[in-house]
Amino acid sequence: MSLEQCEVVLLETSDLHGFILPRSYATRSEAGHGLARIAAVVKAMRRMHSHTLLIDNGDCLQGTPLTYYHAKVNSELPNPVIACLNELHYDAAVPGNHEFNYGLPYLQSAMEASSFPWLSANIVDASTGQPAFGKPYLVREMENGVRIGILGLTTSYIPVWEQPQHIAGLRFEDPVEAAQKWIPVMKAEEQADVIVVSYHGGFERDLDTGQPTEPLTGENVGYALCQEVEGIDVLLTGHQHRAIAERSINGVCVVQPANEGRFLGKVTLQMEKSLEGWKVISRRSELVSAEEAGPDPVFEELISKIEELTQEWLDQPSGYVDGNMTVHSHFAARLQEHPLMEFINRVQMDASGADISCAALFDNVSPGFGERITMREIVSNYIYPNTLKVLRVTGSDIKAALEKSAEYFEVNAEGEIAVNPSYLAPKPQHYNYDMWEGIDYTLDISQPMGQRVTRLERNGQPLRAEAEYDVVMNNYRASGGGNFAMFGGKPVVKDIPTDMVELLADYIRERGRLTVSVNNNWRVVNGMEEG
């Protein structure tokens, strides 16, 4: 007896971060990625394959000036990201950690405007224990009777980073335990032939060796899902902004499509029907680049009004600069104090009243400020919707934090200071290297990790280990984010709920003209070279 066969294609986007149109908000230059380009790829895939499902794996609502403008300046217009996802007829979406950045009412409004369900089995109502967003999973029956089950999971590490008021009433459960609970339900009660887990999280171990690639905090548990949960056919991942395809772990097909619409994740399942029903006989993952695809013109028209208003807002002048605050080398700006970083720390100190501040140069794209400062420059340099907290910490906490930041560097084979490879892969973590104001310090990278702080003073006197100091930092770092465990749980002296973008803009407007300054209160050195 001949067996019936068919093909099912799963399509995934993840970590779009509001990047819809293929152009830079900082420079207005064309970009080879974005959801508008991905849309063209999706439509081509649907023409090629009869049975497709399209899933967004989270972190779509935050990340560009467009999304900031909608959330913070003018939310009366339709949500531009949701409008585009609806236009492309997504089958489901999973909330990522950045979905909570603008608060629950904003997220719930976006979900209500969606023509597709949002799935998360492990984010539950703290009082009832039931899935907070209605559906833990979706089972979609294709035209030929194949039943595809999609389970939504989200990194449970969100309470470490997020403002408490943004996640009030929610409990974030272990994704592995949630998968072990719901997958048997999907198989037995829903008769799902295929189990797809869409997890907004990544891999905590090397995909080849199984060795840990990061502290096992629970932020990423993709490897554990593959190893410890029975019945998963496909694991769609994200969060780490990695490009992963053509891989499997313990027989589970895995994929991760980088970020900002650089790739469309594609999983092809070959199915076969027997007397027992449909079975997966082969599975293959790949990444389809958006770069060669022309942007879908529908998207330009769809968000034209809010895009025009965003561009007008970005061009509003805030002030001027006397001197040079442009970032020509991001690496150099982390080796030796740059006027941009001194400025950001000074704004934090001004807004909080604290005498000590730490801040990071988040990425290798921040342009700094030219002679004329507009909102475009501000949001290009400060890309996250962070707020500020003042923590009361000890001198030993500050030293431990400096030692942690010093891990960002290494002395390479040529005897030169370079970025530690662990901060570049599997995910760039430039945002986990802080630069400080209000203290004087030296980091000697030739010394072993944990012993690199060779000078630590305040007002010309050594910082006392047991003494207490008030330090202002962003809410992510204040929560211990980035493995800065020394800050977790410390007393909050002051909470400044205003976004840093607003604080920066207000500071510049009030003064009108900034004077570039650098006090060189810190140094990064190679003691072997100096010796």
Side-chain angles (χ1 to χ4, degrees), residues 150-170:
I150 305 161
L151 179 71
L153 297 172
T154 303
T155 175
S156 58
Y157 212 56
I158 290 173
V160 175
W161 307 309
E162 192 52 74
Q163 301 275 36
Q165 65 269 27
H166 290 175
I167 53 175
L170 300 179

Side-chain angles (χ1 to χ4, degrees), residues 110-410:
M111 289 180 169
E112 290 168 3
S114 302
S115 60
F116 49 85
W118 288 74
L119 313 174
S120 190
N122 70 308
I123 303 178
V124 301
D125 185 294
S127 59
T128 67
Q130 296 300 306
F133 302 123
K135 290 191 173 186
Y137 62 80
L138 169 72
V139 176
R140 179 64 54 84
E141 184 169 320
M142 314 303 281
E143 293 86 345
N144 55 6
V146 177
R147 291 176 65 78
I148 310 293
I150 305 161
L151 179 71
L153 297 172
T154 303
T155 175
S156 58
Y157 212 56
I158 290 173
V160 175
W161 307 309
E162 192 52 74
Q163 301 275 36
Q165 65 269 27
H166 290 175
I167 53 175
L170 300 179
R171 186 170 72 244
F172 295 80
E173 298 185 335
D174 179 10
V176 173
E177 293 178 3
Q180 290 169 334
K181 171 184 175 180
W182 288 105
I183 287 175
V185 174
M186 296 167 69
K187 284 179 169 290
E189 298 183 16
E190 302 286 356
Q191 300 295 303
D193 301 305
V194 180
I195 297 295
V196 179
V197 172
S198 184
Y199 167 53
H200 187 83
F203 297 101
E204 71 280 29
R205 295 179 181 271
D206 184 277
L207 302 190
D208 294 318
T209 67
Q211 293 300 307
T213 54
E214 60 182 49
L216 299 180
T217 60
E219 177 181 352
N220 299 295
V221 294
Y223 198 90
L225 283 166
C226 295
Q227 293 286 358
E228 300 175 22
V229 182
E230 292 185 8
I232 302 175
D233 295 295
V234 178
L235 179 64
L236 309 178
T237 64
H239 184 57
Q240 293 172 314
H241 299 187
R242 299 169 66 182
I244 299 173
E246 300 180 6
R247 304 298 299 268
S248 67
I249 301 171
N250 195 30
V252 179
C253 183
V254 302
V255 67
Q256 188 172 145
N259 63 313
E260 295 185 341
R262 286 172 167 78
F263 298 98
L264 178 69
K266 179 184 180 184
V267 176
T268 304
L269 301 175
Q270 298 296 334
M271 308 290 299
E272 187 174 82
K273 189 177 184 181
S274 65
L275 293 176
E276 290 77 30
W278 287 99
K279 300 292 183 186
V280 180
I281 58 174
S282 74
R283 62 207 88 185
R284 180 171 61 92
S285 65
E286 59 187 297
L287 297 176
V288 184
S289 174
E291 194 165 7
E292 301 302 319
D296 189 326
V298 172
F299 282 66
E300 188 90 51
E301 181 178 347
L302 189 63
I303 64 169
S304 60
K305 184 173 182 179
I306 192 167
E307 173 71 12
E308 180 182 350
L309 291 171
T310 300
Q311 294 290 352
E312 290 176 0
W313 174 73
L314 286 171
D315 285 331
Q316 292 177 5
S318 295
Y320 298 86
V321 175
D322 288 332
N324 189 350
M325 212 182 284
T326 305
V327 179
H328 297 290
S329 167
H330 296 84
F331 179 69
R334 297 184 182 101
L335 270 182
Q336 185 175 2
E337 189 171 23
H338 188 279
L340 176 66
M341 293 313 303
E342 174 149 321
F343 167 70
I344 290 174
N345 272 316
R346 291 293 179 190
V347 172
Q348 293 188 173
M349 294 161 81
D350 179 81
S352 66
D355 295 326
I356 304 174
S357 172
C358 63
L361 185 59
F362 293 134
D363 56 27
N364 283 346
V365 181
S366 301
F369 293 133
E371 181 182 354
R372 178 175 178 268
I373 304 175
T374 65
M375 286 301 299
R376 190 180 303 280
E377 281 77 41
I378 294 172
V379 298
S380 297
N381 284 292
Y382 208 98
I383 60 175
Y384 296 117
N386 290 335
T387 59
L388 298 178
K389 291 183 185 294
V390 178
L391 299 188
R392 183 153 292 159
V393 301
T394 64
S396 60
D397 291 327
I398 293 174
K399 184 176 185 297
L402 287 169
E403 292 287 2
K404 183 63 185 173
S405 280
E407 294 178 11
Y408 177 81
F409 296 110
E410 68 168 13

Side-chain angles (χ1 to χ4, degrees), residues 436-453:
W436 290 65
E437 195 63 45
I439 56 175
D440 301 286
Y441 62 93
T442 300
L443 307 180
D444 183 353
I445 309 306
S446 69
Q447 298 300 311
M449 288 187 184
Q451 302 174 38
R452 290 176 166 178
V453 179

